[in-house]
Amino acid sequence: MLASIQQVDGGYTARFERHLKHPVDQVWSVLTDNDRLAEWFPQLRIDELREGGLIKFDMQDGTFKELKITDLAMHSVLGYTWGEDRVRFELYPEPEGCLLVLVEQLHKITGHTSKDLAGWHVCLDVIDALLSGRATGFRKEEWETWHEQYVRILTPLGSADE
């Protein structure tokens, strides 16, 4: 299911929801343990898991961007900067597992927004597959399909994406 996009004061929010058949502890581990994190987003590495701590994004050219952890409630909330935007993962226990919510606060819709949203969409699918024991990597063809759909829903909002 596509993320829901809403205009809010100061920009937009993109909200993804996934009902996972895995307990909060397992999902939290995939989001915060560097070995597990590398399985679905190898460019990210948590340096300090604390509010105000850092996550490093490997730019694959020998440089790193530092993402500041803005929100942290153990086994519940992990939020950090994402360029001018913010990303926030929220976990809610459910009888059969948990609800994983990813909210990206978008300062503005740019030519790159649909690419990021398609990337997050595929990442959430990969997280579910990993936790379910279906080893999978990032699939470009899946990303391309989702990217086309996000371009369609963002274009009326002012996306300059091609």
Side-chain angles (χ1 to χ4, degrees):
M1 177 160 47
L2 288 171
S4 62
I5 314 293
Q6 293 187 337
Q7 190 165 9
V8 296
D9 287 344
Y12 299 85
T13 61
R15 180 183 175 94
F16 299 85
E17 292 188 7
R18 295 290 193 281
H19 294 275
L20 304 176
K21 295 190 181 299
H22 310 283
V24 165
D25 296 13
Q26 287 180 12
V27 179
W28 182 255
S29 170
V30 170
L31 297 175
T32 60
D33 177 273
N34 282 327
D35 291 335
R36 301 297 319 266
L37 183 58
E39 294 176 312
W40 65 275
F41 206 139
Q43 295 86 358
L44 291 183
R45 180 162 188 80
I46 296 176
D47 265 10
E48 304 170 67
L49 186 60
R50 64 173 178 79
E51 200 165 313
L54 295 176
I55 299 174
K56 290 195 175 170
F57 187 104
D58 185 345
M59 298 299 292
Q60 308 288 303
D61 63 3
T63 64
F64 295 85
K65 281 193 178 178
E66 291 185 345
L67 312 174
K68 183 178 177 184
I69 297 174
T70 56
D71 303 289
L72 182 68
M74 296 302 282
H75 302 275
S76 178
V77 175
L78 173 63
Y80 48 90
T81 58
W82 187 258
E84 288 186 56
D85 302 328
R86 291 183 181 228
V87 171
R88 180 181 168 103
F89 292 91
E90 301 171 0
L91 297 174
Y92 300 96
E94 293 185 325
E96 306 255 336
C98 72
L99 171 64
L100 169 60
V101 175
L102 168 60
V103 177
E104 185 172 3
Q105 295 174 333
L106 303 161
H107 177 69
K108 63 184 175 182
I109 303 294
T110 70
H112 198 76
T113 303
S114 61
K115 295 173 184 170
D116 275 352
L117 295 180
W120 287 122
H121 192 109
V122 173
C123 283
L124 294 175
D125 291 346
V126 171
I127 287 171
D128 188 27
L130 286 168
L131 289 167
S132 298
R134 300 184 315 269
T136 184
F138 188 85
R139 293 195 179 101
K140 187 170 185 191
E141 53 282 351
E142 287 178 33
W143 177 87
E144 289 170 350
T145 299
W146 292 115
H147 177 246
E148 290 172 14
Q149 293 186 50
Y150 284 109
V151 167
R152 275 197 294 279
I153 65 172
L154 292 173
T155 297
L157 302 175
S159 170
D161 213 356
E162 301 168 355

